[in-house]
Amino acid sequence: MPRLCQTDGLTDVQTEIVKAVRQFVEDKIIPVASELEHKDEYPTEIVEGLKELGVFGLMIPEEYGGLGESLLTYALCVEEIARGWMSVSGVINTHFIVAYMLMHHGTEEQKQKYLPKMALGEVRGAFSMSEPSLGSDVAAISTKAVKNDDGYAITGQKMWLTNGGSSTLVAVLVKTDEGAESVYKNMTTFLVEKEPGFGETAQGVTVPGKIDKMGYKGIDTTEMIFEGHQISADQILGGEPGKGFYQMMDGVEVGRVNVAARACGIANRAFELGISYAQQRETFGKPIAQHQAISFRLAEMATKVETAHTMMVKAARKKDDGQRNDVEAGMAKMLASEYCNEVVEASFRIHGGYGYSKEYEIERLYREAAFMLIGEGTSDIQKMIIGRAVLKEYQLR
Ligand SMILES: Cc1cc2nc3c(=O)[nH]c(=O)nc-3n(C[C@H](O)[C@H](O)[C@H](O)COP(=O)(O)OP(=O)(O)OC[C@H]3O[C@@H](n4cnc5c(N)ncnc54)[C@H](O)[C@@H]3O)c2cc1C
């Protein structure tokens, strides 16, 4: 049988790109990942390497200086990167979502202004919906942009910004309340420019510092406080207020494929570590892989890794075909993240006591896997989306 997570029907270019990223992961990420993660150190050299590989512009069209690749190519690269270290995939993900939103919803001027620099990784993106009192219930946001003679003034508090410190362009969802009846039409995405770093990073924009997290270390996750940040109406994504909710949901759909891909990468790595350890560790006179309980566990792990990969690829291909993929992305995200946690736990058990030691990679994967259940919508939220869709499709007439 071939190795897990192979993908049929790739073009030569896709195969080459994924191969190059895999090699980069083997050479530059895996050897340093656990050390940097334990020190909570930003992977500066790795990020520079990814810029050289063109990963920051993978999906940005060639006319704007990117590689013009598909969501599938992007997702397969993310899977490889997360196999090495999930935090690194986080560096490119919010950047990618902002670039995607610009490509699909930005004005031509906004595309010209940002995409070429984003393709080079010179402008780095973050996206911000969540607030201290909400994550799943996006419609409840309270950060507000109030119109004035010079544009808008934004006030409020945002929470959980991945790349909140290192980014220089943040797509921020705010309430604009310009009279629309539907709560969804009262939301607008602003493109907020800021300096990288912490403290007051732009007029009226403060990034207090890094949130200390259980895993997903190295990468900065922050709050962002707006105190009358003055911004021009030209910085509204797409030029018109009231479209923010739909723009963000479009971004989140590709973001969900990305989290599914990350979960596949972590699960694949956990499987590799487990199957390797199981052939080296001996108990009762033979390698533990030869105990049926362990080989059955490996069989279940392999099946889960393969199933999650297949679902993730299907969701990416549907979006690449120009179709909505909310249900497929929701299914892929839910299944891949739940399976990821199960596979990581199974691998952890195979490692016995050593799995609990920081010397073994599985310890890091164990902490990383948990975040897959939360980011880009919890499993409960995916179930809401899937449940609504299946009931509509199978409605009794
Ligand atoms: C490390 C990290 C990075 C993040 N990065 C970003 C980012 O870059 N940008 C950004 O905008 N956000 C980001 N987030 C926020 C993330 O998207 C939210 O944490 C997530 O959507 C869940 O929201 P919440 O934490 O507010 O949980 P809540 O919405 O409060 O949910 C709490 C629990 O209730 C359940 N629940 C909620 N509503 C329902 C319902 N209707 N039915 C059944 N169960 C329900 C949830 O599934 C969950 O189990 C990040 C979060 C973390 C931890």
Side-chain angles (χ1 to χ4, degrees), residues 127 129-130 134-136 160 162 213 216 371 374 378 380 384:
F127 96 115
M129 296 194 294
S130 304
L134 66 103
S136 309
W160 296 120
T162 303
K213 307 183 295 279
Y216 199 20
F371 174 56
I374 306 295
T378 64
D380 299 318
M384 278 168 61

